[in-house]
């Protein structure tokens, strides 16, 4: 067998590279060919997948109307392969035969005599040509996304890597604008997630019907993939939001580290549904549905999940006694979050919970939620909270409750709550402390007898905090 024939055979074998979009496309190619992984895909199955994508590209182009019932692939091609033979502006004047021939030529293996004699920049095998924006979502910057440097013909790619980019649409959540795709170095997660996305896109393309659940916020798309994956994640998950069209080129990457991705996967499972419902309601607002706000916090600022949920639990504790199962489930999720995701030391968590139980014991003898709301109001101002705890700590020392064990606030808990050291997130520890107070009040069965007034006071406090947060962000 000659070197040339070996090189030709290599042009039908997928290889996973370090490029996230190529990897997504490689898994999508394998999913189109059957139940196998990319690197186990036989040459004949690879060619079968290429032929399928070519036929569907031709059929989409011949629809000519992206808004037609079967114009799904044509519509999405503007976001991934602009000015290609599928959607070129001149197609309206061309015959069906010429459009078909142009697409077949575009998707066919080039004559080996025309190969440029360089290696593929992604996998190192022999490249079949140089490729640009028409085939590959190139880079982040609008300044150089549409072109390549002078004297350079484009990105050197072998055929399997090129085909992977052509298959990218099948493995992405397609909106007609920005595309959402999930990437991970966990191969099992990638395979199953991309397979589900391929099946979903094929069904939409065949029926012309898009379900309401498909038109979800991009972070919710990631949540859905985590929820349907039943095994432990061994790597983090990236949400890639990209658009390769001719007007608003963009690429955003939002990452979940492995501990957070795995925590979310477990949290989204049916067994944790009561607690997850609390987390969703805690993030709901007039601007955003709770699941969207929760997902965005997870991707942008996970530590906010604890504070947002603490505020909501305050309402449940003050008013109802029928949601205790949900409160207990939510608290369990939050404690696993602070230890697994935020890497809080278990001994430090125990110190805060012990202090919280003592404070909750003081509050539980009250008939109204006034003192609880006063404590809640102090949470944003360390000086006020320190004063509150010091005053009650002195009273505790002078007239300790029955079976009192030690001071109201231990030395270690005081350090966790108020030490301004850079490696001590006191604000986060104060949120965890409040969760502990509400947990114990729920366990004791306490509820306010002046619930309506207490809720109005709590709403006023929460509204002020929301306004302050918005001003800080601006």
């Amino acid at each position: 067998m000659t070197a040339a024939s070996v090189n030709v055979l290599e042009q039908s074998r997928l290889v996973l590279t370090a490029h996230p979009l190529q990897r997504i496309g490689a898994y999508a190619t394998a999913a189109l060919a059957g139940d196998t992984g990319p690197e186990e895909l036989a040459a004949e199955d690879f060619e079968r997948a290429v032929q399928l994508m070519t036929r569907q590209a031709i059929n989409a182009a011949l629809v000519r109307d992206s808004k037609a019932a079967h114009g799904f692939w044509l519509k999405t091609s503007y976001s991934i392969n602009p000015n290609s033979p599928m959607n070129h502006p001149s197609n309206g004047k061309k015959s069906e035969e010429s459009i078909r021939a142009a697409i077949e030529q575009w998707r066919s293996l080039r004559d080996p005599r025309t190969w440029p004699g360089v290696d593929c920049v992604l996998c190192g095998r022999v490249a079949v040509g140089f490729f640009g924006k028409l085939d590959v979502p190139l880079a982040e910057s609008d300044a150089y996304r549409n072109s390549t440097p002078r004297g350079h013909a484009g990105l050197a790619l072998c055929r399997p890597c090129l085909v992977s980019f052509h298959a990218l649409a099948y493995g992405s959540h397609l909106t007609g604008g920005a595309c959402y795709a999930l990437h991970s170095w966990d191969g099992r997660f990638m395979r199953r997630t991309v397979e589900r996305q391929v099946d979903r896109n094929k069904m939409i393309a065949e029926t012309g019907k898009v379900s309401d659940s498909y038109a979800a916020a991009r972070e919710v798309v990631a949540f859905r993939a985590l929820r349907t994956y039943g095994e432990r994640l061994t790597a983090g998950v990236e949400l890639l939001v990209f658009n390769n069209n001719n007007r608003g080129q963009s690429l955003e990457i939002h990452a979940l580290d492995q501990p957070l991705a795995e925590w979310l996967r477990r949290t989204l499972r049916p067994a944790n549904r009561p607690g997850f419902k609390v987390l969703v309601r805690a993030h709901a607002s007039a601007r955003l549905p709770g699941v969207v706000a929760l997902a965005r916090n997870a991707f942008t600022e996970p530590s906010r999940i604890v504070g947002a949920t603490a505020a909501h639990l305050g309402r449940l504790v003050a008013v109802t006694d029928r949601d205790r199962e949900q409160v207990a489930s939510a608290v369990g999720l939050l404690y696993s979050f602070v230890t697994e995701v935020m890497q809080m030391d278990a001994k430090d968590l125990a110190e805060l919970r012990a202090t919280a139980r003592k404070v909750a014991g003081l509050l539980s003898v009250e008939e109204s939620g006034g003192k609880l709301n006063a404590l809640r109001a102090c949470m944003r101002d360390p000086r006020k909270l320190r004063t509150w705890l010091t005053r009650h700590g002195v009273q505790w020392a002078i007239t300790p409750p029955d079976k009192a064990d030690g001071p109201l606030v231990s030395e270690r808990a005081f350090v966790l709550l108020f030490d301004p050291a850079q490696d001590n997130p006191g604000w986060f520890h104060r949120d965890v402390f409040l969760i502990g107070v509400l947990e114990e009040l729920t366990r004791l069965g306490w509820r306010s007898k002046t619930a309506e007034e207490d809720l109005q006071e709590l709403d006023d406090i929460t509204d002020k905090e929301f306004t302050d947060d918005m001003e800080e962000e601006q």
Side-chain angles (χ1 to χ4, degrees), residues 360-372:
L362 293 177
L363 297 176
S364 66
V365 301
E366 303 292 328
E367 293 188 349
S368 74
K371 284 196 173 181
L372 174 60

Side-chain angles (χ1 to χ4, degrees), residues 352-396:
L352 290 177
R353 292 183 71 181
T355 300
R357 283 193 294 270
K358 295 174 184 178
V359 170
L362 293 177
L363 297 176
S364 66
V365 301
E366 303 292 328
E367 293 188 349
S368 74
K371 284 196 173 181
L372 174 60
N373 281 339
L375 174 64
R376 177 77 176 80
C378 292
M379 295 301 295
R380 293 296 297 270
D381 190 332
R383 293 172 299 177
K384 291 181 179 179
L385 180 60
R386 188 165 56 245
T387 300
W388 193 98
L389 289 174
T390 300
R391 182 173 69 251
H392 287 83
V394 171
Q395 294 173 358
W396 176 286

Side-chain angles (χ1 to χ4, degrees), residues 104-381:
E104 288 176 345
Q105 181 181 11
W106 174 39
R107 294 297 181 92
S108 297
L109 175 62
R110 297 183 178 184
D111 187 334
R113 292 173 295 182
T114 68
W115 295 358
V118 298
D119 294 336
C120 173
V121 296
L122 298 183
C123 69
R125 293 178 295 180
V126 175
V128 298
F130 294 105
F131 303 92
K133 179 182 172 67
L134 182 148
D135 296 282
V136 183
L138 293 179
E140 297 182 36
S141 171
D142 290 354
Y144 57 83
R145 189 182 181 91
N146 286 314
S147 60
T148 53
R150 290 183 180 180
H152 196 288
L155 197 67
L157 294 174
C158 65
R159 185 182 180 223
C161 286
L162 176 65
V163 167
S164 296
F165 285 112
H166 290 163
L168 176 61
Y170 289 82
S172 302
H173 185 96
L174 305 167
T175 68
C179 306
Y180 315 149
L182 292 175
H183 174 259
S184 175
W185 297 104
D186 184 329
R188 290 179 301 179
F189 173 79
M190 280 294 292
R191 179 173 171 179
R192 295 182 187 180
T193 301
V194 173
E195 283 176 351
R196 289 191 181 99
Q197 190 62 58
V198 169
D199 290 341
R200 192 175 294 119
N201 285 338
K202 285 169 60 179
M203 183 178 299
I204 294 173
E206 291 170 4
T207 63
K209 297 180 180 179
V210 180
S211 66
D212 292 339
S213 63
Y214 190 86
R218 57 197 189 186
E219 296 90 352
V220 176
V221 172
F223 266 32
R224 183 185 297 135
L226 291 171
R227 184 187 64 215
T228 55
Y229 184 64
E231 299 182 40
R232 182 179 182 277
L233 281 162
T234 60
V237 174
E238 293 177 323
L239 171 64
L240 286 76
V241 183
F242 64 96
N243 198 334
N244 195 42
N245 69 15
N246 287 326
R247 294 184 179 180
Q249 300 89 350
S250 61
L251 171 63
E252 302 173 26
I253 301 176
H254 308 275
L256 298 173
D257 291 338
Q258 188 276 333
L260 177 55
E262 173 58 19
W263 181 82
L264 283 170
R265 185 196 67 80
R266 293 201 318 272
T267 299
L268 293 163
R269 303 298 291 171
N272 291 315
R273 187 164 297 163
F276 180 70
K277 287 182 178 179
V278 175
L279 266 62
V280 169
R281 289 203 297 268
H283 286 78
S285 68
R287 299 184 306 157
L288 286 175
V291 69
V292 176
L294 172 60
R296 291 185 178 174
N297 267 351
F299 274 97
T300 58
E301 198 165 354
S303 56
R304 283 192 172 188
I305 292 174
V306 175
T309 308
H312 182 69
L313 289 180
R315 297 178 63 90
L316 293 180
V317 171
V319 181
T320 70
D321 56 6
R322 65 180 181 275
D323 293 327
R324 302 195 187 282
E325 178 189 356
Q326 290 189 350
V327 171
S329 177
V331 168
L333 291 177
L334 291 174
Y335 284 151
S336 67
F337 175 84
V338 300
T339 54
E340 297 172 21
V341 179
M342 302 304 295
Q343 301 294 305
M344 186 176 182
D345 186 271
K347 292 182 180 179
D348 289 343
L349 175 60
E351 286 285 351
L352 290 177
R353 292 183 71 181
T355 300
R357 283 193 294 270
K358 295 174 184 178
V359 170
L362 293 177
L363 297 176
S364 66
V365 301
E366 303 292 328
E367 293 188 349
S368 74
K371 284 196 173 181
L372 174 60
N373 281 339
L375 174 64
R376 177 77 176 80
C378 292
M379 295 301 295
R380 293 296 297 270
D381 190 332

